[in-house]
Amino acid sequence: MEKKENFETKMESLEKIVTELEKGELSLENSLEKFEEGMKISKECSKILEDAEKRITVILDENGEIKEEDFEIEE
């Protein structure tokens, strides 16, 4: 059974790929493969963050009553 990677693990993988690409020691073909892998991981990280934003709620105290609202990002 394959263990699902978490956000932090994915970010570490992405950082490793960036470091390898920055060294400039890979062939063009290997660089392209690493770039594609990095883009895939980047999209997965973005999805994880989007899902987390949707789950965040704000707890407000209104007139002694606790009220829960969805967190909204101002753009």
Side-chain angles (χ1 to χ4, degrees), residues 16-35:
K16 182 178 177 184
I17 289 170
V18 169
T19 300
E20 289 179 53
L21 289 171
E22 286 178 339
K23 286 182 182 177
E25 298 173 355
L26 300 173
S27 67
L28 178 59
E29 186 64 32
N30 287 341
S31 293
L32 287 172
E33 288 174 7
K34 289 290 183 182
F35 179 78

Side-chain angles (χ1 to χ4, degrees), residues 3-60:
K3 185 179 178 185
K4 192 171 184 178
E5 292 184 43
N6 62 19
F7 179 79
E8 290 78 12
T9 304
K10 289 181 183 294
M11 286 301 295
E12 288 174 10
S13 297
L14 188 56
E15 288 173 7
K16 182 178 177 184
I17 289 170
V18 169
T19 300
E20 289 179 53
L21 289 171
E22 286 178 339
K23 286 182 182 177
E25 298 173 355
L26 300 173
S27 67
L28 178 59
E29 186 64 32
N30 287 341
S31 293
L32 287 172
E33 288 174 7
K34 289 290 183 182
F35 179 78
E36 289 172 349
E37 182 182 351
M39 290 303 296
K40 179 182 173 205
I41 293 170
S42 176
K43 287 180 182 181
E44 291 169 354
C45 287
S46 291
K47 175 77 171 116
I48 291 170
L49 289 174
E50 286 176 22
D51 291 346
E53 287 176 353
K54 291 176 186 174
R55 293 175 50 202
I56 294 174
T57 57
V58 178
I59 298 175
L60 304 172

